[in-house]
Amino acid sequence: MRTPRTTIRRKLILAIMLTSTTALALAGTALTIHEVTSLRALLARELATRAAILAANSTAALAFQNPEDASQVLAGLRTDPSIVAAALYDARGGVFATYPMGASAPLVPAAAGAMGNRLERASLLVSRPVMEGNRRLGSLFLRSDLRALDERVRAQVMAILVAVLGSMGVALALSAWLQGGIAQPVRILAETAKAVLDRKDYSVRARAVSDDELGVLAEGFNDMLAEIQRRDAELEQRVADRTAALEASNKELEAFSYSVSHDLRAPLRAIDGFSKALLEDCGDKLDQVGTKHLDRVRTATRQMGQLIDDLLNLARISRAELRRERFDLGAVGKEIAAELKRAQPEREGVQFVIAEGMTVVADTQLLRVVLDNLLRNAWKFTAKHPTARIELGQHRDNGHRVFFVTDDGAGFDMAHANLLFAPFQRLHRQSDFEGTGVGLATVQRIIHRHGGQLWADGAVERGASFSFTLSEVKS
Amino acid sequence: MDLLRRLLLGLTLSIAVLCAEGGAAGAEGRMTREYDMKAIFLFQFADFVNWPASTCPDTLTPITIGVLGNDPFGAGLDEVVAGETVGARKLVVRRFRTVEQVDSCHVLFICASEAGRLEHIHAKLMGRSVLTVGETKDFAARYGIVGFDVQRNRLKLRINVAAADSAKLTISSKLLRQAELVASKG
Amino acid sequence: MTNTTILMAEDNPNDEELTLRALRKYNVSNEVVVVRDGQEALDYLFCAGEYASRSANVQPQVILLDINLPKVNGLEVLKRIRADKRTRTLPVVMLTSSAEERDRFAAYENHANSYIRKPVDFDQFTEAVRHLGLYWLVLNQPPPAPRSGNGR
């Protein structure tokens, strides 16, 4: 089980932080915008009031053409540093007095402009008429520096920023505390799952830590583990039972084959031995028919002995442990061929063709049994032909190596091919070819034990071909 | 009012008479321009002076600007006043030959021609709520309330607050700021 | 003292008869003592039971031992023979029906001198006995008899 790249703990903190920070930022922004607009409005109101007072104070100066007085009235603006310039215009719109003295465009317009408030870069500009009663005597212009306002706004924004940062800190602390309720049970659950997987120990249980859905999840998880544990135990018990049963039947089988080898053979030996004794001791009392009968008894006895040996062999091969090693199948084939030729030197017409370089990784003893059976069969079923060709070779089919033993002897009818590998099944009359019918069953079992396949092709009097594969094992 | 009195004593303010082209113009032109200015000032007084209710029986009673003696304004004063109002009151210009003719009047300009009869005029108008304006020297201090004084091409005002008080006239402090305040003499 | 007795432990009377027949056929004149089970074999060798009067100094030239014996089986008998200094040098030939690797291994592990499987074919059987007799009774030089003995 992999370790998670990120944790629920981190995700929860992130979610809480993102939410609270966004809310704070939005609130802060709204607050700032409100502050800025209300400050502007306040400033505009202040300026309007100031302009009204100034206008009222300068009516006489304008009426009686007294610029000195007007200048003095304007000079009163010194107390307010935010007002950087002011001007009075007469009824015709000409400059009458300025603040500071001598100020000119662009600080103050050279002629009275439109009345009203107006923003110009960092300045708020106010123009209003100067009235005495309902008579318009001129106009007043004020230029207020908004930098002061900006300063106030900046201070406000800074305060809000500090508040937001502080709140974020508090939110972080709170979220770290709050996430425990969710992340902790999930973490415990994840750790439990990991422990179960790593140690394959299903007795581990998740601690129940919360009474919410996570608690239910942990409970479910624990129930699941209990169920797995129960089934594990059940399975183990079943496997143990089966193994015991198997071992018992194996033992029985061994005992059976042991007694077969001992006890079945002893009477046969007696039958054969005393038949021989009868022939030797009472031969003169037996006619030719009697002698012939006794010979038949002895032949049957020997066949049964061979049958028992073959059966035991088959059983042994099924049980024996495979000992794989690298060897040349061809070399073994040549030894067997030589053996066969030595046993029947009179069969000069038989030609063995054995391929080179058939290196395999398999159990040498068992493969020898295979080749011995197949080559001996080929030898046997070509016995009625004056000349014969027996080939041991290999070819590739679909990337797999296929080994084959082919002869041009008696062959068999493919209709009965399915009976070839069953024990005791024979396709030829005993009087034609000797055999117990166990050989090919043994061969098949050995091939199967090597993870391979065995099959046969043939036709009556046109030879037989036995092919097999071996699972390729690197040694 | 004490404060104001002190201010009146201490302040003399000049009003610019913008005669930028005055040097090039002839004496007659200069005079015309001087009296245009004086006509405007006479008209403006209506805005900065309050008359007692007795002089204005209702809100529609016109404010009368009188000219006593040889009128130096020509049509100038009439032009300035034409169509103007103070509140709902119209402004009217009347011309008088003698002080005896002066019946209802709010602002009375006493022309230079009356220089010899100032004492008589002053006496005649004593107790009446008329803002007397003259252009002779010491007029405000001796014979009336407001005196015009031309200094360096600028028209200046002298105001005798005590005289105004006794005439039951209230002069706006804004107007007083523009004037040199003088005390009564003799 | 050299003795030419053959001790044969065989519980099957047919096999006993056939073995003796084969031995006779090849003129093996040695005395053959036949015991029917493992215990009797041990009694004979260690002069106990009905063989108590026998001298332990006189031991057989070769022992033919079946594995499948009643009471005490052949392998156990072999173990006891090899465990006792009086008998440990005796040639023991396992003569049995068993071809089990297990039995063969156990026999050689306990220092059997030979392992012969009784063939079903009587001709082969007699051939085996002939070889056996020729080898163990004629060709093979037995170990010298133990020097010290008792009950002389």
Side-chain angles (χ1 to χ4, degrees):
Chain A
M1 188 167 166
R2 72 194 177 82
T3 311
R5 255 173 293 131
T6 181
T7 58
I8 284 190
R9 183 188 132 84
R10 195 174 303 161
K11 280 186 178 170
L12 280 172
I13 293 183
L14 202 70
I16 296 173
M17 286 306 293
L18 212 63
T19 311
S20 55
T21 307
T22 307
L24 280 169
L26 283 175
T29 308
L31 213 64
T32 307
I33 290 170
H34 173 73
E35 280 296 327
V36 170
T37 45
S38 57
L39 272 174
R40 286 234 164 119
L42 181 68
L43 188 76
R45 259 197 324 277
E46 278 176 9
L47 217 55
T49 309
R50 190 172 282 277
I53 293 168
L54 274 175
N57 283 339
S58 36
T59 49
L62 278 166
F64 299 102
Q65 305 289 309
N66 192 349
E68 285 85 355
D69 182 54
S71 295
Q72 218 159 31
V73 169
L74 292 181
L77 291 169
R78 268 197 306 269
T79 54
D80 187 346
S82 75
I83 294 173
V84 290
L88 269 170
Y89 300 89
D90 59 28
R92 291 190 306 272
V95 174
F96 185 70
T98 61
Y99 166 82
M101 290 265 247
S104 60
L107 208 51
V108 296
M115 297 300 107
N117 296 354
R118 181 157 68 82
L119 272 171
E120 183 195 284
R121 286 202 297 282
S123 300
L124 178 60
L125 310 181
V126 175
S127 289
R128 61 158 293 150
V130 177
M131 308 281 288
E132 184 57 52
N134 51 9
R135 204 178 327 288
R136 183 179 164 144
L137 299 170
S139 62
L140 173 69
F141 168 83
L142 285 179
R143 177 187 288 275
S144 173
D145 190 356
L146 286 179
R147 267 174 304 188
L149 175 80
D150 287 350
E151 213 101 295
R152 279 169 75 174
V153 169
R154 205 167 298 139
Q156 289 271 9
V157 169
M158 280 306 289
I160 288 167
L161 214 65
V162 167
V164 166
L165 284 174
S167 307
M168 273 168 71
V170 173
L172 184 66
L174 273 174
S175 63
W177 178 57
L178 286 173
Q179 58 80 25
I182 298 168
Q184 184 72 358
V186 173
R187 194 175 55 73
I188 287 172
L189 213 56
E191 279 172 4
T192 307
K194 194 161 157 47
V196 168
L197 274 174
D198 287 353
R199 303 206 298 267
K200 301 275 174 273
D201 177 5
Y202 294 99
S203 64
V204 176
R205 290 289 179 274
R207 259 186 301 136
V209 283
S210 54
D211 50 2
D212 53 11
E213 290 90 334
L214 286 169
V216 175
L217 188 63
E219 242 170 70
F221 186 68
N222 284 343
D223 289 350
M224 214 164 69
L225 285 176
E227 178 66 17
I228 290 172
Q229 216 181 357
R230 195 181 61 71
R231 284 201 195 170
D232 256 15
E234 217 176 83
L235 270 173
E236 258 167 49
Q237 186 54 47
R238 209 177 292 171
V239 167
D241 290 351
R242 291 267 164 88
T243 307
L246 221 76
E247 274 170 4
S249 79
N250 232 358
K251 273 211 176 98
E252 268 171 41
L253 203 71
E254 267 178 51
F256 172 73
S257 42
Y258 191 81
S259 74
V260 162
S261 80
H262 274 84
D263 304 339
L264 244 52
R265 285 161 56 88
L268 286 177
R269 204 160 43 244
I271 294 167
D272 191 59
F274 286 108
S275 299
K276 181 76 192 265
L278 193 61
L279 280 172
E280 282 172 358
D281 298 350
C282 316
D284 50 339
K285 291 175 193 154
L286 282 173
D287 58 8
Q288 215 178 344
V289 177
T291 309
K292 214 172 170 185
H293 287 335
L294 273 178
D295 277 341
R296 286 217 171 158
V297 170
R298 293 195 64 199
T299 306
T301 310
R302 278 182 226 131
Q303 270 176 10
M304 188 161 174
Q306 186 60 49
L307 201 56
I308 290 168
D309 282 352
D310 285 353
L311 274 175
L312 284 176
N313 218 18
L314 183 62
R316 195 165 37 244
I317 280 158
S318 304
R319 288 203 311 268
E321 197 187 326
L322 285 189
R323 282 185 294 257
R324 288 181 188 266
E325 52 193 335
R326 184 178 293 275
F327 68 97
D328 182 14
L329 218 51
V332 176
K334 281 173 187 163
E335 283 172 28
I336 295 164
E339 223 169 86
L340 289 168
K341 282 190 154 180
R342 205 166 38 241
Q344 284 179 278
E346 69 280 6
R347 288 189 62 187
E348 285 171 348
V350 181
Q351 181 199 2
F352 278 101
V353 180
I354 292 173
E356 302 290 329
M358 291 191 287
T359 306
V360 296
V361 177
D363 188 305
T364 318
Q365 292 303 318
L366 294 183
L367 263 292
R368 178 178 286 274
V369 172
V370 167
L371 290 185
D372 187 76
N373 267 290
L374 295 178
L375 290 172
R376 203 171 287 276
N377 273 350
W379 180 264
K380 191 161 71 185
F381 290 107
T382 52
K384 301 206 165 158
H385 295 196
T387 60
R389 187 178 184 276
I390 297 170
E391 184 181 0
L392 167 61
Q394 63 173 345
H395 61 85
R396 284 209 168 259
D397 180 37
N398 250 341
H400 293 285
R401 285 202 295 172
V402 176
F403 306 95
F404 58 87
V405 174
T406 307
D407 64 66
D408 50 4
F412 58 91
D413 186 350
M414 278 301 279
H416 306 125
N418 59 323
L419 300 175
L420 272 176
F421 306 114
F424 308 114
Q425 288 288 345
R426 291 174 42 84
L427 299 186
H428 299 275
R429 282 191 294 269
Q430 186 74 31
S431 55
D432 290 342
F433 298 102
E434 284 185 1
T436 57
V438 181
L440 284 176
T442 309
V443 168
Q444 187 180 47
R445 190 149 311 171
I446 293 171
I447 297 302
H448 283 175
R449 291 211 57 196
H450 279 82
Q453 293 292 324
L454 173 71
W455 65 97
D457 290 297
V460 175
E461 282 309 314
R462 293 173 62 182
S465 177
F466 290 85
S467 306
F468 63 90
T469 56
L470 298 169
S471 74
E472 303 281 333
V473 178
K474 300 269 175 283
S475 71
Chain B
M1 281 313 259
D2 281 345
L3 183 72
L4 275 176
R5 244 178 260 274
R6 268 190 279 129
L7 284 169
L8 288 171
L9 288 168
L11 281 170
T12 303
L13 285 172
S14 59
I15 296 169
V17 180
L18 296 168
C19 301
E21 67 275 47
E28 195 183 334
R30 186 163 66 242
M31 283 307 286
T32 310
R33 237 167 258 117
E34 182 187 326
Y35 279 94
D36 283 347
M37 185 58 74
K38 285 177 178 170
I40 291 169
F41 272 39
L42 286 176
F43 156 67
Q44 301 276 26
F45 287 143
D47 279 332
F48 294 93
V49 176
N50 273 333
W51 280 268
S54 58
T55 64
C56 309
D58 59 67
T59 55
L60 292 172
T61 311
I63 289 177
T64 309
I65 299 174
V67 178
L68 180 62
N70 293 339
D71 183 354
F73 297 108
L77 185 58
D78 298 276
E79 282 167 16
V80 165
V81 164
E84 295 285 355
T85 55
V86 173
R89 299 173 207 276
K90 284 185 179 156
L91 285 160
V92 286
V93 177
R94 290 177 68 186
R95 290 180 174 79
F96 305 105
R97 293 290 342 146
T98 64
V99 74
E100 283 74 19
Q101 291 175 331
V102 175
D103 42 8
S104 115
C105 185
H106 294 94
V107 178
L108 184 65
F109 181 73
I110 296 157
C111 303
S113 58
E114 306 306 305
R117 288 181 285 275
L118 288 177
E119 197 101 27
H120 171 67
I121 292 166
H122 178 60
K124 265 291 191 203
L125 294 175
M126 189 72 83
R128 288 178 64 179
S129 295
V130 175
L131 185 74
T132 50
V133 181
E135 49 186 348
T136 55
K137 210 170 182 241
D138 288 347
F139 178 83
R142 291 180 185 275
Y143 313 111
I145 300 169
V146 179
F148 284 151
D149 182 21
V150 177
Q151 291 179 3
R152 295 190 306 274
N153 288 334
R154 291 179 64 172
L155 183 59
K156 295 204 161 193
L157 293 171
R158 285 202 187 90
I159 294 176
N160 184 333
V161 178
D165 278 353
S166 51
K168 298 190 184 65
L169 298 176
T170 313
I171 300 175
S172 159
S173 61
K174 290 195 276 187
L175 171 55
L176 294 178
R177 274 173 54 108
Q178 318 304 325
E180 179 190 345
L181 303 186
V182 296
S184 300
K185 281 187 192 165
Chain C
M1 180 177 175
T2 311
N3 190 291
T4 57
T5 306
I6 298 170
L7 177 66
M8 180 165 74
E10 176 63 71
D11 71 317
N12 187 325
N14 290 334
D15 279 354
E16 176 200 333
E17 173 84 38
L18 290 172
T19 308
L20 292 175
R21 186 182 172 86
L23 287 172
R24 272 199 306 274
K25 188 168 181 176
Y26 292 104
N27 303 316
V28 173
S29 54
N30 304 50
E31 184 195 353
V32 179
V33 175
V34 178
V35 289
R36 307 281 176 189
D37 59 56
Q39 188 54 55
E40 200 184 339
L42 291 172
D43 284 351
Y44 179 85
L45 288 169
F46 299 117
C47 308
E50 67 178 289
Y51 299 101
S53 58
R54 206 182 70 84
S55 163
N57 284 338
V58 183
Q59 293 292 20
Q61 191 171 2
V62 65
I63 302 169
L64 303 179
L65 196 56
D66 193 6
I67 288 181
N68 228 4
L69 286 174
K71 295 186 186 171
V72 181
N73 83 28
L75 290 170
E76 184 58 35
V77 173
L78 175 62
K79 265 186 226 174
R80 302 250 192 111
I81 291 170
R82 291 294 179 242
D84 195 297
K85 67 176 182 192
R86 290 170 293 174
T87 54
R88 74 162 59 123
T89 58
L90 292 177
V92 176
V93 174
M94 306 306 289
L95 190 65
T96 173
S97 335
S98 173
E100 291 290 310
E101 285 181 19
R102 207 175 37 168
D103 287 343
R104 260 153 60 198
F105 185 76
Y108 282 112
E109 198 172 47
N110 288 295
H111 312 292
N113 299 78
S114 190
Y115 190 106
I116 293 166
R117 191 179 177 218
K118 290 185 241 177
V120 169
D121 189 329
F122 184 69
D123 295 339
Q124 285 177 30
F125 185 75
T126 42
E127 188 67 10
V129 172
R130 187 177 72 86
H131 284 303
L132 199 148
L134 180 69
Y135 182 79
W136 289 107
L137 302 175
V138 179
L139 296 175
N140 189 50
Q141 288 288 311
R147 297 211 181 186
S148 63
N150 49 348
R152 179 183 278 250

